[in-house]
Coordinates of all heavy atoms in Angstrom, one line a residue:
I2 N -30.7 -4.6 -7.2 CA -29.4 -4.2 -6.9 C -28.3 -4.9 -7.7 O -27.4 -4.4 -8.3 CB -29.1 -4.2 -5.4 CG1 -30.0 -3.3 -4.6 CG2 -27.7 -4.0 -5.1 CD1 -30.0 -3.4 -3.2
D3 N -28.5 -6.2 -7.8 CA -27.6 -7.1 -8.5 C -27.6 -6.8 -10.0 O -26.5 -6.8 -10.6 CB -27.9 -8.5 -8.3 CG -27.6 -9.0 -6.9 OD1 -26.9 -8.3 -6.2 OD2 -28.1 -10.1 -6.5
L6 N -25.6 -3.5 -10.3 CA -24.2 -3.8 -10.1 C -23.6 -4.5 -11.3 O -22.4 -4.3 -11.7 CB -23.9 -4.6 -8.8 CG -23.8 -3.7 -7.5 CD1 -23.7 -4.7 -6.3 CD2 -22.7 -2.8 -7.6
A17 N -12.3 0.1 -18.5 CA -10.9 -0.3 -18.1 C -10.1 -0.8 -19.3 O -9.0 -0.4 -19.5 CB -10.9 -1.4 -17.0
W23 N -6.0 2.2 -25.1 CA -5.7 3.5 -25.6 C -4.3 4.0 -25.1 O -3.5 4.5 -25.9 CB -6.8 4.5 -25.2 CG -6.6 5.8 -25.7 CD1 -6.6 6.3 -26.9 CD2 -6.2 7.0 -24.8 NE1 -6.4 7.7 -27.0 CE2 -6.1 8.1 -25.7 CE3 -6.0 7.1 -23.5 CZ2 -5.8 9.4 -25.2 CZ3 -5.7 8.4 -23.0 CH2 -5.6 9.5 -23.9
A29 N 3.4 3.3 -26.5 CA 3.8 1.9 -26.6 C 5.2 1.7 -26.0 O 6.2 1.8 -26.6 CB 3.8 1.4 -28.0
R33 N 4.7 1.1 -19.7 CA 3.3 1.4 -19.7 C 2.4 0.1 -19.7 O 1.4 0.1 -19.1 CB 3.0 2.2 -21.0 CG 1.7 2.9 -21.1 CD 1.3 3.7 -19.9 NE 2.0 4.9 -19.8 CZ 1.8 5.8 -18.9 NH1 0.9 5.7 -18.0 NH2 2.6 6.9 -18.8
G44 N -10.2 -5.1 -15.2 CA -11.3 -5.0 -16.2 C -11.7 -6.4 -16.6 O -12.9 -6.7 -16.8
Q49 N -16.8 -10.8 -15.3 CA -17.5 -11.9 -14.6 C -18.5 -11.4 -13.5 O -19.2 -12.2 -12.9 CB -16.4 -12.8 -13.9 CG -15.5 -13.4 -14.9 CD -16.3 -14.3 -15.9 OE1 -17.2 -15.1 -15.6 NE2 -15.9 -14.1 -17.2
A56 N -25.1 -15.9 -9.5 CA -24.8 -17.2 -8.9 C -24.8 -17.2 -7.3 O -25.1 -18.2 -6.7 CB -23.5 -17.8 -9.3
L70 N -14.0 -3.5 -6.8 CA -13.4 -3.6 -8.1 C -13.7 -2.4 -9.0 O -12.9 -1.9 -9.7 CB -13.8 -4.9 -8.7 CG -13.1 -6.2 -8.2 CD1 -13.7 -7.4 -8.8 CD2 -11.6 -6.1 -8.4
R85 N 1.6 13.6 -16.7 CA 2.9 13.7 -16.0 C 3.9 14.3 -16.9 O 3.9 13.9 -18.1 CB 3.3 12.4 -15.4 CG 2.4 11.8 -14.4 CD 2.9 10.5 -13.9 NE 2.0 9.9 -13.0 CZ 1.2 8.9 -13.2 NH1 1.1 8.4 -14.3 NH2 0.4 8.5 -12.2
S87 N 7.3 14.6 -19.0 CA 8.2 13.6 -19.5 C 9.5 13.5 -18.6 O 9.9 14.5 -18.1 CB 8.6 13.9 -20.9 OG 7.5 13.8 -21.7
T89 N 13.2 13.6 -17.8 CA 14.4 14.2 -18.5 C 15.7 13.5 -18.1 O 16.7 13.9 -18.6 CB 14.5 15.7 -18.1 OG1 14.6 15.7 -16.7 CG2 13.3 16.4 -18.6
E96 N 16.1 16.9 -2.6 CA 17.5 16.7 -2.0 C 17.4 16.7 -0.5 O 18.3 16.3 0.2 CB 18.4 17.8 -2.5 CG 18.7 17.8 -4.0 CD 19.3 16.5 -4.4 OE1 20.2 15.9 -3.7 OE2 19.0 16.0 -5.5
G98 N 16.0 15.4 3.0 CA 15.4 14.2 3.5 C 16.4 13.5 4.4 O 17.5 14.0 4.7
Q100 N 19.3 11.3 5.8 CA 20.5 10.9 5.2 C 21.3 10.0 6.1 O 21.3 9.9 7.2 CB 21.3 12.2 4.8 CG 20.6 13.0 3.8 CD 21.4 14.3 3.5 OE1 22.5 14.5 3.9 NE2 20.8 15.1 2.6

Side-chain angles (χ1 to χ4, degrees):
I2 293 173
D3 291 342
L6 275 177
W23 180 69
R33 190 54 68 178
Q49 298 300 315
L70 285 173
R85 294 182 181 105
S87 298
T89 61
E96 296 297 324
Q100 295 179 5

